[in-house]
Amino acid sequence: MSSDSSTILCAARPLSPCIQVCNIDPASSLCRGCGRTLDEIACWGSMTEAEKTPVWERLEQTGYVDTLRREER
């Protein structure tokens, strides 16, 4: 079985970035818990993996989620 980094990263991602801290910051319009916008939260269940990918990448880049280290927490 090959293990390229994109496969590992996708496998490490949970179904949702939600951490049950649901509070929208009025200044940024982002959830303080997961970093998503209200639209992203509302549409998450019907989004394709291709639509979720840029959201995951933004959340990883901004530090809301660290999928590679999530297991260590």
Side-chain angles (χ1 to χ4, degrees):
M1 181 164 45
S2 70
S3 62
D4 66 61
S5 61
S6 63
T7 302
I8 292 169
L9 186 58
C10 289
R13 287 179 177 154
L15 294 176
S16 168
C18 181
I19 60 167
Q20 306 297 311
V21 178
C22 305
N23 187 307
I24 302 298
D25 177 15
S28 67
S29 297
L30 298 176
C31 175
R32 288 186 173 112
C34 69
R36 293 178 293 169
T37 66
L38 282 174
D39 286 342
E40 290 167 344
I41 293 167
C43 296
W44 193 260
S46 63
M47 291 170 72
T48 66
E49 289 304 314
E51 293 168 328
K52 291 177 182 179
T53 296
V55 178
W56 277 115
E57 289 171 352
R58 186 189 82 237
L59 298 177
E60 291 162 350
Q61 289 170 358
T62 56
Y64 278 98
V65 294
D66 187 353
T67 53
L68 295 176
R69 296 186 189 163
R70 185 176 286 268
E71 299 168 359
E72 299 172 8
R73 291 182 186 174

Short mmCIF file of all heavy atoms in Angstrom, two decimals:
data_model
loop_
_atom_site.label_atom_id
_atom_site.label_comp_id
_atom_site.label_asym_id
_atom_site.label_seq_id
_atom_site.Cartn_x
_atom_site.Cartn_y
_atom_site.Cartn_z
N MET A 1 0.84 -1.17 0.00
CA MET A 1 0.00 0.00 0.00
C MET A 1 0.89 1.24 0.00
O MET A 1 1.79 1.35 0.81
CB MET A 1 -0.89 -0.03 1.25
CG MET A 1 -1.81 1.14 1.30
SD MET A 1 -3.20 1.02 2.47
CE MET A 1 -2.53 0.41 3.96
N SER A 2 0.62 2.18 -0.95
CA SER A 2 1.43 3.39 -1.00
C SER A 2 0.94 4.38 0.03
O SER A 2 -0.21 4.37 0.44
CB SER A 2 1.37 4.02 -2.41
OG SER A 2 0.09 4.56 -2.62
N SER A 3 1.82 5.30 0.43
CA SER A 3 1.42 6.28 1.43
C SER A 3 1.91 7.66 1.02
O SER A 3 2.91 8.14 1.52
CB SER A 3 1.95 5.90 2.81
OG SER A 3 3.35 5.89 2.78
N ASP A 4 1.21 8.26 0.07
CA ASP A 4 1.57 9.63 -0.27
C ASP A 4 0.93 10.56 0.75
O ASP A 4 -0.03 10.20 1.43
CB ASP A 4 1.18 10.00 -1.71
CG ASP A 4 -0.31 10.01 -1.94
OD1 ASP A 4 -0.98 10.82 -1.27
OD2 ASP A 4 -0.80 9.24 -2.79
N SER A 5 1.45 11.77 0.91
CA SER A 5 1.02 12.66 1.97
C SER A 5 -0.45 13.06 1.86
O SER A 5 -1.11 13.26 2.86
CB SER A 5 1.90 13.90 2.03
OG SER A 5 1.81 14.61 0.81
N SER A 6 -1.00 13.19 0.65
CA SER A 6 -2.40 13.57 0.52
C SER A 6 -3.31 12.48 1.05
O SER A 6 -4.33 12.75 1.66
CB SER A 6 -2.75 13.92 -0.93
OG SER A 6 -2.58 12.79 -1.75
N THR A 7 -2.96 11.22 0.83
CA THR A 7 -3.75 10.12 1.35
C THR A 7 -3.70 10.11 2.88
O THR A 7 -4.71 9.94 3.53
CB THR A 7 -3.22 8.77 0.81
OG1 THR A 7 -3.29 8.81 -0.61
CG2 THR A 7 -4.06 7.63 1.33
N ILE A 8 -2.54 10.32 3.44
CA ILE A 8 -2.39 10.33 4.89
C ILE A 8 -3.19 11.49 5.48
O ILE A 8 -3.91 11.32 6.44
CB ILE A 8 -0.91 10.44 5.29
CG1 ILE A 8 -0.19 9.16 4.90
CG2 ILE A 8 -0.77 10.70 6.78
CD1 ILE A 8 1.31 9.25 5.00
N LEU A 9 -3.11 12.66 4.87
CA LEU A 9 -3.80 13.82 5.38
C LEU A 9 -5.30 13.62 5.35
O LEU A 9 -5.98 13.87 6.33
CB LEU A 9 -3.42 15.07 4.57
CG LEU A 9 -3.95 16.40 5.07
CD1 LEU A 9 -3.49 16.65 6.50
CD2 LEU A 9 -3.49 17.52 4.17
N CYS A 10 -5.84 13.13 4.25
CA CYS A 10 -7.28 12.91 4.16
C CYS A 10 -7.73 11.87 5.16
O CYS A 10 -8.79 11.99 5.74
CB CYS A 10 -7.67 12.50 2.74
SG CYS A 10 -7.54 13.86 1.57
N ALA A 11 -6.94 10.84 5.37
CA ALA A 11 -7.30 9.79 6.30
C ALA A 11 -7.30 10.32 7.73
O ALA A 11 -8.06 9.85 8.56
CB ALA A 11 -6.34 8.62 6.17
N ALA A 12 -6.47 11.32 8.03
CA ALA A 12 -6.37 11.85 9.38
C ALA A 12 -7.48 12.84 9.70
O ALA A 12 -7.71 13.15 10.85
CB ALA A 12 -5.01 12.53 9.56
N ARG A 13 -8.18 13.33 8.69
CA ARG A 13 -9.23 14.31 8.92
C ARG A 13 -10.49 13.65 9.47
O ARG A 13 -10.93 12.63 8.96
CB ARG A 13 -9.58 15.03 7.62
CG ARG A 13 -8.53 16.00 7.18
CD ARG A 13 -8.93 16.65 5.88
NE ARG A 13 -7.94 17.64 5.50
CZ ARG A 13 -7.71 18.02 4.27
NH1 ARG A 13 -8.40 17.49 3.26
NH2 ARG A 13 -6.79 18.93 4.00
N PRO A 14 -11.08 14.26 10.48
CA PRO A 14 -12.37 13.74 10.97
C PRO A 14 -13.49 14.09 9.99
O PRO A 14 -13.25 14.79 9.01
CB PRO A 14 -12.55 14.49 12.30
CG PRO A 14 -11.77 15.74 12.13
CD PRO A 14 -10.61 15.41 11.22
N LEU A 15 -14.68 13.67 10.25
CA LEU A 15 -15.81 13.98 9.38
C LEU A 15 -16.12 15.47 9.36
O LEU A 15 -16.58 16.00 8.37
CB LEU A 15 -17.06 13.21 9.80
CG LEU A 15 -16.98 11.69 9.66
CD1 LEU A 15 -18.25 11.05 10.20
CD2 LEU A 15 -16.76 11.32 8.20
N SER A 16 -15.86 16.13 10.48
CA SER A 16 -16.16 17.55 10.61
C SER A 16 -15.10 18.21 11.50
O SER A 16 -14.58 17.58 12.42
CB SER A 16 -17.53 17.73 11.26
OG SER A 16 -17.74 19.06 11.65
N PRO A 17 -14.82 19.49 11.26
CA PRO A 17 -13.88 20.19 12.14
C PRO A 17 -14.54 20.67 13.44
O PRO A 17 -13.87 21.23 14.30
CB PRO A 17 -13.43 21.38 11.28
CG PRO A 17 -14.51 21.61 10.30
CD PRO A 17 -15.15 20.26 10.07
N CYS A 18 -15.83 20.45 13.60
CA CYS A 18 -16.55 20.91 14.78
C CYS A 18 -15.95 20.32 16.06
O CYS A 18 -15.70 19.11 16.13
CB CYS A 18 -18.03 20.53 14.68
SG CYS A 18 -19.00 21.11 16.09
N ILE A 19 -15.73 21.18 17.05
CA ILE A 19 -15.23 20.71 18.35
C ILE A 19 -16.23 21.03 19.47
O ILE A 19 -15.86 21.09 20.64
CB ILE A 19 -13.84 21.31 18.66
CG1 ILE A 19 -13.89 22.84 18.72
CG2 ILE A 19 -12.80 20.82 17.65
CD1 ILE A 19 -12.65 23.48 19.32
N GLN A 20 -17.49 21.28 19.09
CA GLN A 20 -18.57 21.54 20.04
C GLN A 20 -18.35 22.83 20.83
O GLN A 20 -18.79 22.94 21.98
CB GLN A 20 -18.76 20.35 20.99
CG GLN A 20 -18.97 19.02 20.29
CD GLN A 20 -20.23 18.99 19.44
OE1 GLN A 20 -21.30 19.37 19.90
NE2 GLN A 20 -20.11 18.57 18.20
N VAL A 21 -17.63 23.79 20.26
CA VAL A 21 -17.48 25.13 20.83
C VAL A 21 -18.07 26.07 19.78
O VAL A 21 -17.36 26.62 18.96
CB VAL A 21 -16.00 25.47 21.11
CG1 VAL A 21 -15.87 26.88 21.65
CG2 VAL A 21 -15.39 24.46 22.05
N CYS A 22 -19.38 26.20 19.81
CA CYS A 22 -20.09 26.92 18.75
C CYS A 22 -20.37 28.36 19.18
O CYS A 22 -21.29 28.61 19.96
CB CYS A 22 -21.38 26.20 18.41
SG CYS A 22 -21.12 24.46 17.98
N ASN A 23 -19.54 29.27 18.69
CA ASN A 23 -19.65 30.67 19.06
C ASN A 23 -19.08 31.49 17.91
O ASN A 23 -17.89 31.40 17.63
CB ASN A 23 -18.89 30.90 20.36
CG ASN A 23 -19.08 32.28 20.91
OD1 ASN A 23 -18.89 33.28 20.22
ND2 ASN A 23 -19.44 32.35 22.18
N ILE A 24 -19.92 32.28 17.26
CA ILE A 24 -19.48 33.06 16.11
C ILE A 24 -18.88 34.38 16.58
O ILE A 24 -19.51 35.14 17.32
CB ILE A 24 -20.64 33.33 15.13
CG1 ILE A 24 -21.25 32.00 14.65
CG2 ILE A 24 -20.19 34.18 13.95
CD1 ILE A 24 -20.30 31.10 13.89
N ASP A 25 -17.66 34.66 16.16
CA ASP A 25 -16.99 35.92 16.45
C ASP A 25 -17.56 36.99 15.52
O ASP A 25 -17.44 36.87 14.30
CB ASP A 25 -15.49 35.76 16.21
CG ASP A 25 -14.71 37.04 16.42
OD1 ASP A 25 -15.24 37.99 17.02
OD2 ASP A 25 -13.55 37.09 15.98
N PRO A 26 -18.19 38.03 16.08
CA PRO A 26 -18.81 39.04 15.22
C PRO A 26 -17.80 39.79 14.34
O PRO A 26 -18.13 40.20 13.24
CB PRO A 26 -19.49 40.01 16.20
CG PRO A 26 -19.32 39.45 17.56
CD PRO A 26 -18.41 38.28 17.49
N ALA A 27 -16.59 39.94 14.79
CA ALA A 27 -15.58 40.67 14.03
C ALA A 27 -15.13 39.91 12.78
O ALA A 27 -14.96 40.48 11.72
CB ALA A 27 -14.37 40.99 14.91
N SER A 28 -14.96 38.60 12.91
CA SER A 28 -14.44 37.81 11.79
C SER A 28 -15.53 37.00 11.09
O SER A 28 -15.31 36.47 10.00
CB SER A 28 -13.36 36.85 12.27
OG SER A 28 -13.92 35.87 13.13
N SER A 29 -16.69 36.85 11.73
CA SER A 29 -17.79 35.99 11.24
C SER A 29 -17.39 34.52 11.17
O SER A 29 -17.95 33.75 10.40
CB SER A 29 -18.30 36.47 9.88
OG SER A 29 -18.84 37.76 9.98
N LEU A 30 -16.40 34.13 11.97
CA LEU A 30 -15.96 32.74 12.03
C LEU A 30 -16.32 32.14 13.38
O LEU A 30 -16.32 32.83 14.40
CB LEU A 30 -14.44 32.64 11.85
CG LEU A 30 -13.86 33.13 10.53
CD1 LEU A 30 -12.34 33.05 10.58
CD2 LEU A 30 -14.40 32.32 9.36
N CYS A 31 -16.59 30.84 13.37
CA CYS A 31 -16.82 30.14 14.62
C CYS A 31 -15.51 30.10 15.40
O CYS A 31 -14.46 29.77 14.86
CB CYS A 31 -17.30 28.72 14.33
SG CYS A 31 -17.49 27.72 15.82
N ARG A 32 -15.59 30.46 16.68
CA ARG A 32 -14.38 30.46 17.51
C ARG A 32 -13.87 29.04 17.77
O ARG A 32 -12.71 28.85 18.07
CB ARG A 32 -14.68 31.16 18.84
CG ARG A 32 -14.83 32.66 18.69
CD ARG A 32 -14.98 33.33 20.06
NE ARG A 32 -14.97 34.77 19.91
CZ ARG A 32 -16.01 35.55 20.13
NH1 ARG A 32 -17.17 35.03 20.51
NH2 ARG A 32 -15.91 36.86 19.98
N GLY A 33 -14.74 28.06 17.65
CA GLY A 33 -14.33 26.69 17.88
C GLY A 33 -13.67 26.04 16.68
O GLY A 33 -12.58 25.48 16.78
N CYS A 34 -14.32 26.14 15.51
CA CYS A 34 -13.82 25.39 14.35
C CYS A 34 -13.27 26.27 13.23
O CYS A 34 -12.63 25.77 12.33
CB CYS A 34 -14.92 24.49 13.79
SG CYS A 34 -16.28 25.37 13.00
N GLY A 35 -13.56 27.57 13.27
CA GLY A 35 -13.02 28.46 12.25
C GLY A 35 -13.81 28.57 10.97
O GLY A 35 -13.40 29.25 10.04
N ARG A 36 -14.96 27.90 10.92
CA ARG A 36 -15.77 27.97 9.70
C ARG A 36 -16.76 29.13 9.76
O ARG A 36 -17.12 29.59 10.84
CB ARG A 36 -16.56 26.67 9.52
CG ARG A 36 -15.70 25.47 9.23
CD ARG A 36 -16.52 24.21 9.10
NE ARG A 36 -17.13 23.86 10.39
CZ ARG A 36 -18.08 22.94 10.54
NH1 ARG A 36 -18.54 22.29 9.50
NH2 ARG A 36 -18.57 22.68 11.73
N THR A 37 -17.21 29.56 8.58
CA THR A 37 -18.26 30.56 8.49
C THR A 37 -19.61 29.89 8.73
O THR A 37 -19.71 28.65 8.66
CB THR A 37 -18.28 31.22 7.10
OG1 THR A 37 -18.65 30.23 6.13
CG2 THR A 37 -16.93 31.83 6.74
N LEU A 38 -20.64 30.68 8.96
CA LEU A 38 -21.98 30.11 9.13
C LEU A 38 -22.41 29.35 7.88
O LEU A 38 -23.02 28.29 7.98
CB LEU A 38 -22.99 31.21 9.45
CG LEU A 38 -23.00 31.70 10.89
CD1 LEU A 38 -23.94 32.90 11.05
CD2 LEU A 38 -23.40 30.60 11.84
N ASP A 39 -22.10 29.89 6.70
CA ASP A 39 -22.45 29.19 5.46
C ASP A 39 -21.73 27.85 5.36
O ASP A 39 -22.33 26.85 4.95
CB ASP A 39 -22.09 30.04 4.22
CG ASP A 39 -23.06 31.19 4.01
OD1 ASP A 39 -24.18 31.16 4.56
OD2 ASP A 39 -22.70 32.12 3.28
N GLU A 40 -20.46 27.81 5.73
CA GLU A 40 -19.71 26.55 5.68
C GLU A 40 -20.29 25.54 6.67
O GLU A 40 -20.42 24.35 6.35
CB GLU A 40 -18.23 26.79 5.97
CG GLU A 40 -17.53 27.53 4.86
CD GLU A 40 -16.17 28.07 5.24
OE1 GLU A 40 -15.84 28.17 6.45
OE2 GLU A 40 -15.43 28.43 4.31
N ILE A 41 -20.66 26.01 7.84
CA ILE A 41 -21.26 25.13 8.84
C ILE A 41 -22.59 24.59 8.34
O ILE A 41 -22.86 23.38 8.41
CB ILE A 41 -21.44 25.87 10.19
CG1 ILE A 41 -20.08 26.21 10.79
CG2 ILE A 41 -22.30 25.06 11.16
CD1 ILE A 41 -20.13 27.20 11.94
N ALA A 42 -23.43 25.48 7.81
CA ALA A 42 -24.76 25.09 7.35
C ALA A 42 -24.71 24.10 6.18
O ALA A 42 -25.54 23.21 6.08
CB ALA A 42 -25.56 26.33 6.96
N CYS A 43 -23.74 24.27 5.30
CA CYS A 43 -23.67 23.45 4.09
C CYS A 43 -22.77 22.22 4.23
O CYS A 43 -22.71 21.39 3.32
CB CYS A 43 -23.17 24.30 2.92
SG CYS A 43 -24.30 25.63 2.49
N TRP A 44 -22.06 22.10 5.34
CA TRP A 44 -21.03 21.06 5.48
C TRP A 44 -21.53 19.67 5.12
O TRP A 44 -20.87 18.92 4.40
CB TRP A 44 -20.47 21.06 6.90
CG TRP A 44 -19.22 20.25 7.02
CD1 TRP A 44 -19.12 18.98 7.51
CD2 TRP A 44 -17.92 20.64 6.62
NE1 TRP A 44 -17.82 18.56 7.45
CE2 TRP A 44 -17.05 19.56 6.92
CE3 TRP A 44 -17.38 21.79 6.06
CZ2 TRP A 44 -15.68 19.61 6.66
CZ3 TRP A 44 -16.02 21.84 5.81
CH2 TRP A 44 -15.19 20.76 6.10
N GLY A 45 -22.68 19.30 5.59
CA GLY A 45 -23.21 17.95 5.36
C GLY A 45 -23.49 17.63 3.90
O GLY A 45 -23.45 16.47 3.51
N SER A 46 -23.74 18.64 3.11
CA SER A 46 -24.04 18.41 1.69
C SER A 46 -22.87 18.77 0.78
O SER A 46 -22.97 18.60 -0.43
CB SER A 46 -25.28 19.20 1.28
OG SER A 46 -25.05 20.59 1.42
N MET A 47 -21.76 19.22 1.35
CA MET A 47 -20.59 19.57 0.53
C MET A 47 -19.86 18.31 0.09
O MET A 47 -19.79 17.33 0.83
CB MET A 47 -19.63 20.47 1.32
CG MET A 47 -20.16 21.86 1.58
SD MET A 47 -19.15 22.80 2.76
CE MET A 47 -17.70 23.16 1.78
N THR A 48 -19.30 18.34 -1.11
CA THR A 48 -18.47 17.24 -1.59
C THR A 48 -17.09 17.36 -0.95
O THR A 48 -16.73 18.40 -0.40
CB THR A 48 -18.31 17.29 -3.11
OG1 THR A 48 -17.57 18.48 -3.46
CG2 THR A 48 -19.66 17.27 -3.83
N GLU A 49 -16.31 16.29 -1.03
CA GLU A 49 -14.94 16.34 -0.51
C GLU A 49 -14.14 17.43 -1.23
O GLU A 49 -13.33 18.12 -0.61
CB GLU A 49 -14.25 14.98 -0.63
CG GLU A 49 -14.80 13.94 0.33
CD GLU A 49 -14.75 14.38 1.79
OE1 GLU A 49 -13.71 14.90 2.24
OE2 GLU A 49 -15.78 14.22 2.47
N ALA A 50 -14.39 17.61 -2.52
CA ALA A 50 -13.69 18.65 -3.29
C ALA A 50 -14.06 20.04 -2.77
O ALA A 50 -13.20 20.94 -2.75
CB ALA A 50 -14.03 18.54 -4.77
N GLU A 51 -15.28 20.24 -2.34
CA GLU A 51 -15.70 21.52 -1.78
C GLU A 51 -15.16 21.73 -0.36
O GLU A 51 -14.87 22.86 0.04
CB GLU A 51 -17.23 21.62 -1.77
CG GLU A 51 -17.83 21.69 -3.16
CD GLU A 51 -19.34 21.51 -3.16
OE1 GLU A 51 -19.88 20.77 -2.30
OE2 GLU A 51 -19.98 22.09 -4.05
N LYS A 52 -15.02 20.64 0.38
CA LYS A 52 -14.50 20.73 1.75
C LYS A 52 -12.99 20.96 1.79
O LYS A 52 -12.48 21.57 2.73
CB LYS A 52 -14.82 19.45 2.53
CG LYS A 52 -16.28 19.26 2.83
CD LYS A 52 -16.51 17.94 3.53
CE LYS A 52 -17.98 17.70 3.80
NZ LYS A 52 -18.21 16.40 4.45
N THR A 53 -12.28 20.48 0.79
CA THR A 53 -10.81 20.54 0.80
C THR A 53 -10.26 21.93 1.03
O THR A 53 -9.41 22.12 1.91
CB THR A 53 -10.22 19.90 -0.48
OG1 THR A 53 -10.57 18.51 -0.47
CG2 THR A 53 -8.72 20.04 -0.54
N PRO A 54 -10.70 22.97 0.29
CA PRO A 54 -10.13 24.30 0.56
C PRO A 54 -10.48 24.83 1.95
O PRO A 54 -9.70 25.56 2.56
CB PRO A 54 -10.72 25.20 -0.53
CG PRO A 54 -11.82 24.43 -1.17
CD PRO A 54 -11.62 22.99 -0.85
N VAL A 55 -11.63 24.41 2.49
CA VAL A 55 -11.99 24.82 3.84
C VAL A 55 -11.04 24.16 4.83
O VAL A 55 -10.48 24.82 5.72
CB VAL A 55 -13.46 24.46 4.17
CG1 VAL A 55 -13.81 24.84 5.60
CG2 VAL A 55 -14.41 25.11 3.19
N TRP A 56 -10.83 22.84 4.68
CA TRP A 56 -9.88 22.13 5.55
C TRP A 56 -8.50 22.77 5.47
O TRP A 56 -7.84 22.97 6.50
CB TRP A 56 -9.76 20.66 5.14
CG TRP A 56 -10.83 19.76 5.68
CD1 TRP A 56 -11.76 19.08 4.96
CD2 TRP A 56 -11.07 19.42 7.05
NE1 TRP A 56 -12.57 18.35 5.79
CE2 TRP A 56 -12.16 18.54 7.08
CE3 TRP A 56 -10.46 19.77 8.23
CZ2 TRP A 56 -12.66 18.00 8.27
CZ3 TRP A 56 -10.95 19.25 9.42
CH2 TRP A 56 -12.04 18.36 9.42
N GLU A 57 -8.06 23.08 4.26
CA GLU A 57 -6.72 23.66 4.09
C GLU A 57 -6.62 25.01 4.80
O GLU A 57 -5.62 25.29 5.47
CB GLU A 57 -6.38 23.79 2.61
CG GLU A 57 -6.13 22.43 1.97
CD GLU A 57 -5.99 22.47 0.46
OE1 GLU A 57 -6.24 23.54 -0.16
OE2 GLU A 57 -5.64 21.43 -0.12
N ARG A 58 -7.66 25.84 4.70
CA ARG A 58 -7.65 27.13 5.40
C ARG A 58 -7.62 26.92 6.91
O ARG A 58 -6.87 27.59 7.63
CB ARG A 58 -8.88 27.95 5.01
CG ARG A 58 -8.85 29.36 5.60
CD ARG A 58 -10.14 30.13 5.42
NE ARG A 58 -11.08 29.74 6.47
CZ ARG A 58 -12.28 29.24 6.29
NH1 ARG A 58 -12.75 29.05 5.07
NH2 ARG A 58 -13.05 28.92 7.30
N LEU A 59 -8.42 25.97 7.40
CA LEU A 59 -8.46 25.70 8.84
C LEU A 59 -7.11 25.19 9.35
O LEU A 59 -6.68 25.54 10.44
CB LEU A 59 -9.57 24.71 9.16
CG LEU A 59 -11.00 25.18 8.83
CD1 LEU A 59 -12.00 24.08 9.12
CD2 LEU A 59 -11.35 26.47 9.53
N GLU A 60 -6.47 24.35 8.55
CA GLU A 60 -5.14 23.85 8.92
C GLU A 60 -4.11 24.97 8.90
O GLU A 60 -3.28 25.08 9.81
CB GLU A 60 -4.74 22.71 7.99
CG GLU A 60 -5.59 21.47 8.21
CD GLU A 60 -5.55 20.47 7.06
OE1 GLU A 60 -5.02 20.80 5.98
OE2 GLU A 60 -6.07 19.37 7.25
N GLN A 61 -4.16 25.82 7.90
CA GLN A 61 -3.20 26.92 7.78
C GLN A 61 -3.37 27.96 8.89
O GLN A 61 -2.39 28.56 9.32
CB GLN A 61 -3.33 27.60 6.41
CG GLN A 61 -2.83 26.75 5.28
CD GLN A 61 -3.19 27.33 3.91
OE1 GLN A 61 -3.84 28.36 3.80
NE2 GLN A 61 -2.75 26.65 2.86
N THR A 62 -4.59 28.17 9.32
CA THR A 62 -4.84 29.17 10.35
C THR A 62 -4.79 28.60 11.77
O THR A 62 -4.96 29.32 12.74
CB THR A 62 -6.21 29.86 10.13
OG1 THR A 62 -7.24 28.88 10.08
CG2 THR A 62 -6.20 30.67 8.84
N GLY A 63 -4.56 27.30 11.89
CA GLY A 63 -4.37 26.68 13.20
C GLY A 63 -5.63 26.22 13.91
O GLY A 63 -5.57 25.83 15.07
N TYR A 64 -6.77 26.25 13.23
CA TYR A 64 -7.99 25.76 13.87
C TYR A 64 -7.97 24.26 14.03
O TYR A 64 -8.52 23.73 14.98
CB TYR A 64 -9.24 26.19 13.09
CG TYR A 64 -9.66 27.59 13.40
CD1 TYR A 64 -9.29 28.65 12.57
CD2 TYR A 64 -10.42 27.88 14.53
CE1 TYR A 64 -9.68 29.95 12.85
CE2 TYR A 64 -10.81 29.18 14.82
CZ TYR A 64 -10.43 30.20 13.98
OH TYR A 64 -10.81 31.48 14.27
N VAL A 65 -7.39 23.56 13.07
CA VAL A 65 -7.25 22.11 13.18
C VAL A 65 -5.84 21.72 12.80
O VAL A 65 -5.20 22.36 11.97
CB VAL A 65 -8.25 21.33 12.28
CG1 VAL A 65 -9.67 21.54 12.74
CG2 VAL A 65 -8.09 21.69 10.84
N ASP A 66 -5.37 20.69 13.43
CA ASP A 66 -4.06 20.14 13.12
C ASP A 66 -4.25 18.65 12.95
O ASP A 66 -4.09 17.88 13.89
CB ASP A 66 -3.07 20.45 14.22
CG ASP A 66 -1.65 20.03 13.86
OD1 ASP A 66 -1.44 19.40 12.81
OD2 ASP A 66 -0.74 20.33 14.66
N THR A 67 -4.69 18.25 11.77
CA THR A 67 -5.08 16.86 11.56
C THR A 67 -3.92 15.88 11.72
O THR A 67 -4.11 14.74 12.07
CB THR A 67 -5.72 16.66 10.17
OG1 THR A 67 -4.84 17.17 9.19
CG2 THR A 67 -7.05 17.37 10.10
N LEU A 68 -2.71 16.33 11.47
CA LEU A 68 -1.58 15.43 11.60
C LEU A 68 -1.23 15.15 13.05
O LEU A 68 -0.66 14.13 13.38
CB LEU A 68 -0.35 16.00 10.87
CG LEU A 68 -0.51 16.09 9.36
CD1 LEU A 68 0.72 16.75 8.75
CD2 LEU A 68 -0.74 14.74 8.73
N ARG A 69 -1.60 16.03 13.96
CA ARG A 69 -1.29 15.84 15.37
C ARG A 69 -2.51 15.58 16.22
O ARG A 69 -2.41 15.46 17.42
CB ARG A 69 -0.56 17.08 15.92
CG ARG A 69 0.77 17.26 15.24
CD ARG A 69 1.53 18.36 15.86
NE ARG A 69 2.71 18.63 15.03
CZ ARG A 69 3.41 19.71 15.10
NH1 ARG A 69 3.10 20.67 15.92
NH2 ARG A 69 4.46 19.87 14.31
N ARG A 70 -3.69 15.53 15.61
CA ARG A 70 -4.95 15.36 16.34
C ARG A 70 -4.91 14.12 17.24
O ARG A 70 -5.42 14.14 18.34
CB ARG A 70 -6.11 15.25 15.36
CG ARG A 70 -7.45 15.18 16.01
CD ARG A 70 -8.54 15.17 14.97
NE ARG A 70 -8.72 16.47 14.37
CZ ARG A 70 -9.59 17.37 14.81
NH1 ARG A 70 -10.34 17.09 15.83
NH2 ARG A 70 -9.70 18.54 14.22
N GLU A 71 -4.27 13.05 16.80
CA GLU A 71 -4.22 11.81 17.56
C GLU A 71 -3.45 11.98 18.87
O GLU A 71 -3.69 11.28 19.83
CB GLU A 71 -3.55 10.71 16.73
CG GLU A 71 -4.28 10.40 15.46
CD GLU A 71 -3.46 9.53 14.52
OE1 GLU A 71 -2.32 9.21 14.88
OE2 GLU A 71 -3.96 9.19 13.45
N GLU A 72 -2.48 12.92 18.91
CA GLU A 72 -1.64 13.09 20.08
C GLU A 72 -2.34 13.85 21.19
O GLU A 72 -1.89 13.84 22.31
CB GLU A 72 -0.36 13.84 19.67
CG GLU A 72 0.47 13.10 18.65
CD GLU A 72 1.61 13.95 18.11
OE1 GLU A 72 1.84 15.04 18.66
OE2 GLU A 72 2.25 13.52 17.16
N ARG A 73 -3.44 14.54 20.87
CA ARG A 73 -4.09 15.39 21.88
C ARG A 73 -4.94 14.60 22.83
O ARG A 73 -5.42 13.59 22.65
CB ARG A 73 -4.95 16.43 21.17
CG ARG A 73 -4.08 17.42 20.47
CD ARG A 73 -4.92 18.46 19.81
NE ARG A 73 -4.00 19.30 19.04
CZ ARG A 73 -4.38 20.25 18.25
NH1 ARG A 73 -5.64 20.50 18.09
NH2 ARG A 73 -3.52 20.97 17.60
#
